Amino acid sequence: QEVGSTLSLAPNPAHGRSRFEAGEVVRRVELIDANGHAVRHWEPSIGATSQELSLDGLAPGPYRVRATLPDGRVRQANLVVD
């Protein structure tokens, strides 16, 4: 699912793992729960535009994936963990 500009997630809904594709270099990725709390974060390799996200141990439900670009811009997408 794409929200805003150029951030997609697959599979979505997901169980265990999902992968984001940002279309541009990403500095940090956060997984935000329905209460607005960051429950996971990843720092992709330098120059990475995608990352596999481990979802093991997360409660089923809606989440938001927030990717921060090197210049501070943010891309977000909704993710459902089942």
Side-chain angles (χ1 to χ4, degrees):
Q1 178 177 355
E2 192 168 310
V3 175
S5 178
T6 69
L7 183 63
S8 61
L9 297 162
N12 189 10
H15 180 77
R17 298 200 176 279
S18 186
R19 183 172 194 81
F20 84 84
E21 297 283 342
E24 47 193 318
V25 174
V26 172
R27 183 182 66 203
R28 182 178 172 91
V29 178
E30 295 174 290
L31 187 65
I32 312 299
D33 68 13
N35 295 317
H37 299 110
V39 293
R40 299 264 169 97
H41 74 273
W42 299 267
E43 293 186 11
S45 301
I46 293 172
T49 61
S50 65
Q51 171 83 28
E52 186 170 283
L53 308 177
S54 172
L55 307 173
D56 292 336
L58 290 173
Y63 292 84
R64 178 168 292 273
V65 175
R66 182 168 55 204
T68 304
L69 309 180
D71 64 5
R73 289 179 296 146
V74 173
R75 301 286 183 254
Q76 300 185 77
N78 295 320
L79 174 67
V80 175
V81 174
D82 61 9

